[in-house]
Amino acid sequence: MFRNNYDNDSVTFSPQGRIFQVEYAAEAVKQGSVVVGIASKTHAVLVAIKRNAEELSSYQKKLFPIDEHTGIAIAGLTSDARVLSNFMKQQCLGHRLTYGRNMPIRNLVEQIGSKAQNNTQHYGKRPYGVGLLIAGVDNTGPHLFEFQPSGMTEEMQAFAIGARSQMARTYLERHLDAFQDSSREELITHGLRALKESLVQDRELTVDNTSVGVVGFIKEGEASYKVDPFKVYDGQEVSVFLEKVSDSAEGGAAPAAGGEAEGEGMEVDS
Amino acid sequence: MTSIGTGYDLANSIFSPDGRNFQVEYAVKAVENGGTSIGIRCKDGVVLAVEKIVTSKLLKPGANKRIATVDRHLGVVYSGMVPDGRHFVDRARDESRSWRDTFKTPIPTADLANRMGSYLQAYTLYQSVRPFGITAIVGGFDSELELPVDGEVGSGPSCGAGGKDTSKKHGGPFLYMIEPSGLYWGYYGAATGKGRQAAKAELEKLDLSGEGISLEEAVKEAARIIYVAHDDSKDKEFELEMSWISGADGPTKGKHQEVPKALREEAERLARKAVADEDSDEEEEAKEGEKMEE
Amino acid sequence: MDHRPQAWGRPRDDIYGAYDGSYLQNSGPKQATQSPVVTGTSVIAIKFADGVVMAADNLASYGSLARFTDVKRLRTFHDNTVIGFGGDVSDMQYLDRLIGEIDIDQEYELEQLPDREAQKSVELMQASNLFTFLRRQMYHQRNEFNPLWNQILVAGFDDEHKPFLASVDLRGTSFTSPSLATGFGAALAQPIMRKYAATDEDAARLTRDQAVDVIKECMKVLFYRDARSLDRYSIAVVTKEGIDLKENEQLEKQSWAFAERIKGYGTQTV
């Protein structure tokens, strides 16, 4: 009988140089519902599908504001995400207190990266079972980062993580060129369309299961800027965004960038 | 790998009967899967370069840097597990900072290599940790000039301290490579990661230990070597990232900096041409192939 | 005679009496710095239309002794900020090293940008951010009952790229004004500077040359009346183009004629 001896903890390398516990933690991310993030020259948006345990229960939060200039979307273990989110809030506050400015997003992301990496190198710890998309603006403009349980953090133009996120990523890759110059509304629309691609058959985006988060970068003169603070839209607030991507709206005039194969042609659930 | 499956490879710090620590060897395997990194120590500086495999179109081009500045005059590049590399960089920065706190002067490259070697070695000693899944290349330029001590605000007495041997040469470019075991050597040309064999073969062709080559030549060679070491069949796309460090009178004024875009692009153009020429030479030995594709 | 090893090299008890080791006992409350040791005197600064001018002489006194005569008390940060230190020189050196660390942190941040051109165009940490840091540092130290014995002026620009000038002292007290002076300068130079720039509006009408002249005039007055001052000084002008720092200036056109008319103290007998 085959038994993998190398996957019991995160301090054991396999003969191929892999760490299975970390790879398994990455699987936990795929169990979470899908979240999508896109950045343009002026904005960074996050959109997410919320799940509810049963018909009458509330929906699990997917977007968390961190500071005025940044927020996160999560996929995986929500309780792990909350630990990271609290940590990020503290870091941002600390930075604001000592330097009187928005903490640079990459700084922030690398801090949680280091924290997560530490969990993969010491016995008795386990990797975080959550993936994050971090959207934010700082003195260098809007940013979108992906965070993985391994501690890997990378800056993306657009990305999706969580269950069936591959379909969303395919959508994002197809429309990549449009994002840079997209407006705030166009960016949200793209995000929601990408989200739709990942939906299970018969499911649709509703005001109950959809969250939208936006943060903006307003350039002022040569080198100074203002922040359009990170804001999360839930419930009825998202209906305006949803209307633009409803099947009927898409059927008629598919707006702006490449309208192939949208609305129709939902994938079969696996 | 005779002892595989006999249980000696299941935990770090355990010796097998033939005196090996398998977990460290497995960590080296993680390095061998990573994108190629190289370092060149030349006459008037150091060049670091890395092949960054583009794993997704959605990555922001040019944004995810793999070469890190540790102190103003020190740079690090690594192959293997990137989060481990970040850990390495964080620690190296802490070391150089604590050195400054104590000695009020920048840490010499050799001392940083020594401290980081010790740090990595400590991660091979205990079952409660795993070794680093990276090999790091540390490049630095220790100042040849007498630097002001950190926090120095005046010149003090106008007569000198005396007794100084002015004929002695101080500082210069240095390059070290540190392995997961904590082992490190000084190098003229160092390579690690996927394409290290090809890269080493190319580095050995350069005259680095004798006459030496200039910094600008080294930038071009580094680009070419990364292109040669890149395996088209396995990975399609990659980004080249390069940094350099010169002395106080050189282009970077003693600082570790990214190679300017224009110079890097020129080096890449030459590298692509060199690789294309080589390929066509191999394909048709006799003919003077004028096949210029890309 | 006592030949036991512990008595070797000690003054003989029978002649000098038993050794008084009481000073080695630290009884009573723990004491930190009670007073500065090697000190710098005034720092003065005034805003003008496109920046700020600051000056301080090059003397470090040991009590009333003019101990070091080429001490540079104006430090620069990132080519956009000048920091002037009055008070304890070794505490200034400590702060200078702290600022050096922040400078290296900034370099870590900058190198993440796509290329060197992008690095040049990005908004770096400004004088206002560095001032926030210094203010926190000074207040923190005083809360530890171990103050850094300085009064500090910070000049440069704020987030909105307007000229910035602020002061913080060993108690963590901070404020801003169109013109500022520390030490003796607060009494002797401040009234002169206020004549030219009582408000920010006044300061905005001053030209660079006018501001430099006011500062030079003040430095002269300070040298006349402050016995811990020197006629060699440093002067820095910070504008958007960068910092123009001269560290070995000589007071010009001194006239000591007024001294003869001073009566009532000193060695005069009339």
Side-chain angles (χ1 to χ4, degrees):
Chain A
M1 190 193 89
F2 171 74
R3 186 168 139 63
N4 188 350
N5 283 316
Y6 302 100
D7 69 351
N8 291 312
D9 54 58
S10 57
V11 295
T12 308
F13 278 108
S14 80
Q16 293 73 241
R18 294 162 63 181
I19 302 166
F20 284 103
Q21 270 299 306
V22 174
E23 295 181 17
Y24 297 170
E27 291 298 317
V29 178
K30 296 182 194 159
Q31 306 282 337
S33 63
V34 63
V35 295
V36 174
I38 315 177
S40 73
K41 276 183 194 153
T42 55
H43 290 85
V45 306
L46 298 171
V47 294
I49 297 275
K50 291 180 287 187
R51 280 193 189 134
N52 57 343
E54 50 194 285
E55 190 72 16
L56 294 175
S57 73
S58 66
Y59 287 79
Q60 182 63 56
K61 260 177 87 176
K62 296 287 281 180
L63 302 187
F64 294 83
I66 298 296
D67 197 354
E68 188 181 273
H69 67 300
T70 181
I72 58 170
I74 67 158
L77 303 181
T78 309
S79 25
D80 283 17
R82 214 148 33 218
V83 171
L84 291 171
S85 136
N86 283 342
F87 176 77
M88 291 166 86
K89 286 175 185 177
Q90 282 171 7
Q91 294 302 312
C92 285
L93 242 35
H95 195 91
R96 197 175 287 288
L97 188 71
T98 22
Y99 299 107
R101 64 168 191 164
N102 299 318
M103 185 171 195
I105 306 300
R106 181 179 288 273
N107 257 352
L108 176 66
V109 172
E110 281 185 356
Q111 296 233 21
I112 54 167
S114 305
K115 218 170 138 64
Q117 192 280 150
N118 189 255
N119 283 359
T120 72
Q121 208 170 9
H122 295 267
Y123 188 83
K125 291 178 183 289
R126 65 159 174 86
Y128 289 112
V130 69
L132 308 179
L133 293 180
I134 300 101
V137 299
D138 59 23
N139 53 348
T140 58
H143 300 280
L144 175 74
F145 283 88
E146 185 218 2
F147 160 87
Q148 294 168 210
S150 62
M152 187 72 172
T153 57
E154 286 172 300
E155 182 162 8
M156 317 299 287
Q157 306 179 73
F159 210 57
I161 55 172
R164 303 162 53 85
S165 54
Q166 182 53 50
M167 268 80 84
R169 285 199 294 275
T170 307
Y171 173 92
L172 294 172
E173 277 184 32
R174 269 209 308 268
H175 297 84
L176 199 51
D177 298 335
F179 299 152
Q180 271 293 296
D181 297 308
S182 284
S183 70
R184 175 189 155 105
E185 274 64 34
E186 284 167 342
L187 222 50
I188 295 171
T189 308
H190 276 301
L192 291 173
R193 281 202 209 121
L195 215 52
K196 275 177 88 172
E197 298 279 320
S198 288
L199 281 179
V200 185
Q201 202 173 24
D202 300 333
R203 288 281 300 241
E204 52 185 276
L205 299 178
T206 68
V207 292
D208 293 319
N209 72 4
T210 311
S211 276
V212 175
V214 199
V215 60
F217 176 86
I218 306 159
K219 190 103 180 136
E220 286 196 327
E222 30 181 340
S224 62
Y225 75 105
K226 280 238 157 53
V227 178
D228 184 9
F230 184 77
K231 175 159 169 47
V232 178
Y233 297 87
D234 275 312
Q236 284 307 324
E237 291 172 316
V238 299
S239 60
V240 274
F241 305 127
L242 289 180
E243 274 164 25
K244 291 197 189 132
V245 294
S246 68
D247 287 348
S248 52
E250 299 278 31
E260 357 94 67
E262 267 144 17
E264 247 70 54
M266 293 270 114
E267 288 75 12
V268 184
D269 192 13
S270 51
Chain B
M1 300 254 168
T2 45
S3 301
I4 292 187
T6 56
Y8 291 106
D9 65 344
L10 290 175
N12 189 17
S13 92
I14 300 290
F15 277 119
S16 72
D18 49 352
R20 297 158 63 180
N21 181 347
F22 278 99
Q23 279 294 309
V24 172
E25 293 182 20
Y26 296 167
V28 172
K29 284 278 184 291
V31 175
E32 291 171 0
N33 299 329
T36 316
S37 311
I38 62 165
I40 299 177
R41 173 181 160 179
C42 43
K43 278 189 295 197
D44 43 0
V46 181
V47 176
L48 301 176
V50 59
E51 165 209 31
K52 292 188 290 187
I53 309 291
V54 177
T55 50
S56 165
K57 270 194 213 169
L58 296 172
L59 280 164
K60 188 169 173 182
N64 295 290
K65 293 289 157 64
R66 279 275 299 283
I67 306 181
T69 298
V70 169
D71 200 336
R72 292 191 186 101
H73 64 300
L74 277 169
V76 166
V77 66
Y78 47 88
S79 293
M81 297 160 65
V82 177
D84 283 23
R86 293 290 325 159
H87 178 181
F88 182 95
V89 169
D90 285 348
R91 178 67 190 197
R93 287 174 176 178
D94 286 351
E95 288 291 353
S96 71
R97 180 160 293 197
S98 84
W99 181 281
R100 277 197 126 101
D101 281 347
T102 315
F103 300 106
K104 322 296 183 206
T105 173
I107 188 170
T109 314
D111 290 278
L112 183 79
N114 179 280
R115 288 191 170 197
M116 293 313 292
S118 305
Y119 190 67
L120 261 57
Q121 189 271 159
Y123 278 77
T124 67
L125 284 177
Y126 311 97
Q127 294 204 18
S128 55
V129 293
R130 65 167 173 80
F132 278 75
I134 56 153
T135 286
I137 299 174
V138 177
F141 202 111
D142 301 345
S143 180
E144 293 165 320
L145 312 169
E146 188 135 342
L147 287 178
V149 174
D150 285 359
E152 185 176 317
V153 291
S155 58
S158 52
C159 51
K164 193 173 164 185
D165 184 355
T166 48
S167 67
K168 274 233 174 76
K169 192 181 168 295
H170 296 273
F174 293 99
L175 185 68
Y176 292 87
M177 183 158 74
I178 311 173
E179 296 168 25
S181 61
L183 178 79
Y184 71 94
W185 297 99
Y187 288 86
Y188 284 105
T192 183
K194 251 180 218 171
R196 67 198 173 286
Q197 304 290 11
K200 275 182 198 165
E202 292 299 319
L203 284 166
E204 280 164 13
K205 288 182 201 161
L206 306 174
D207 176 31
L208 296 173
S209 55
E211 181 81 342
I213 60 174
S214 77
L215 197 55
E216 296 229 350
E217 280 174 304
V219 167
K220 285 171 185 156
E221 289 297 345
R224 188 181 63 77
I225 291 171
I226 292 291
Y227 270 80
V228 168
H230 174 72
D231 190 347
D232 271 329
S233 57
K234 284 207 193 99
D235 311 294
K236 294 144 279 168
E237 273 192 77
F238 74 100
E239 264 182 25
L240 172 68
E241 186 183 331
M242 285 202 288
S243 70
W244 60 350
I245 321 163
S246 76
D249 46 359
T252 80
K253 301 188 174 56
K255 282 181 158 194
H256 174 249
Q257 283 176 342
E258 184 172 6
V259 171
K261 200 172 162 199
L263 179 56
R264 191 197 73 223
E265 281 172 353
E266 168 67 1
E268 284 195 83
R269 189 184 65 75
L270 293 171
R272 272 192 285 268
K273 188 168 175 294
V275 171
D277 287 353
E278 193 134 308
D279 287 350
S280 56
D281 282 358
E282 277 168 27
E283 279 163 26
E284 34 204 305
E285 297 276 19
K287 282 184 206 165
E288 291 273 305
E290 270 292 276
K291 257 174 57 184
M292 290 289 229
E293 56 103 39
E294 267 209 291
Chain C
M1 174 132 181
D2 188 354
H3 291 286
R4 290 171 303 161
Q6 56 266 44
W8 291 356
R10 310 293 303 274
R12 287 169 58 178
D13 287 357
D14 51 340
I15 295 175
Y16 296 97
Y19 180 68
D20 177 10
S22 63
Y23 79 97
L24 289 168
Q25 252 73 53
N26 36 346
S27 54
K30 181 183 163 242
Q31 291 192 334
T33 316
Q34 298 294 301
S35 60
V37 182
V38 176
T39 58
T41 184
S42 324
V43 185
I44 57 173
I46 189 167
K47 288 195 214 174
F48 63 95
D50 337 288
V52 190
V53 191
M54 192 188 285
D57 69 26
N58 291 354
L59 179 68
S61 308
Y62 180 65
S64 59
L65 171 69
R67 181 63 184 85
F68 303 104
T69 52
D70 69 337
V71 169
K72 317 300 194 304
R73 297 192 290 124
L74 301 187
R75 317 298 291 166
T76 60
F77 175 74
H78 250 322
D79 218 29
N80 64 17
T81 303
V82 179
I83 310 129
F85 294 87
D88 194 277
V89 170
S90 58
D91 284 351
M92 157 176 105
Q93 291 177 309
Y94 170 74
L95 282 165
D96 190 38
R97 286 193 290 268
L98 274 191
I99 292 165
E101 286 183 8
I102 298 178
D103 188 55
I104 294 175
D105 284 343
Q106 287 276 286
E107 230 139 285
Y108 298 156
E109 234 171 75
L110 273 183
E111 72 175 351
Q112 297 297 341
L113 294 165
D115 53 63
R116 308 253 310 130
E117 283 66 41
Q119 292 174 9
K120 274 175 210 146
S121 67
V122 78
E123 175 175 355
L124 290 162
M125 210 183 263
Q126 293 293 324
S128 54
N129 301 116
L130 191 76
F131 177 72
T132 308
F133 169 79
L134 285 170
R135 186 167 54 130
R136 305 250 43 122
Q137 184 68 29
M138 298 298 277
Y139 182 59
H140 168 77
Q141 294 275 11
R142 91 106 206 218
N143 282 346
E144 306 273 300
F145 289 93
N146 187 196
L148 294 164
W149 221 281
N150 299 103
Q151 191 172 356
I152 302 167
L153 299 190
V154 178
F157 295 90
D158 62 14
D159 289 346
E160 286 159 357
H161 291 257
K162 290 208 282 273
F164 175 89
L165 175 61
S167 138
V168 60
D169 68 9
L170 71 167
R171 295 169 191 85
T173 315
S174 63
F175 44 86
T176 80
S177 169
S179 65
L180 282 170
T182 78
F184 247 61
L188 297 175
Q190 193 62 267
I192 303 174
M193 291 192 289
R194 275 200 197 127
K195 254 194 341 204
Y196 295 93
T199 63
D200 268 328
E201 288 72 44
D202 296 339
R205 280 192 290 271
L206 283 182
T207 65
R208 174 186 174 134
D209 290 342
Q210 281 171 325
V212 169
D213 286 344
V214 172
I215 289 291
K216 284 186 172 172
E217 180 62 23
C218 290
M219 288 309 284
K220 202 190 291 187
V221 170
L222 282 168
F223 181 58
Y224 286 153
R225 323 234 53 142
D226 176 1
R228 306 284 167 268
S229 67
L230 197 69
D231 55 353
R232 289 232 163 251
Y233 67 101
S234 307
I235 184 164
V237 184
V238 50
T239 58
K240 285 188 182 139
E241 280 66 53
I243 297 166
D244 178 17
L245 173 65
K246 298 194 201 96
E247 290 192 310
N248 200 19
E249 295 294 279
Q250 170 78 38
L251 276 186
E252 289 156 8
K253 292 186 231 137
Q254 292 177 41
S255 163
W256 288 87
F258 73 95
E260 289 186 11
R261 298 193 299 276
I262 296 177
K263 292 191 174 140
Y265 54 91
T267 53
Q268 286 166 329
T269 50
V270 187

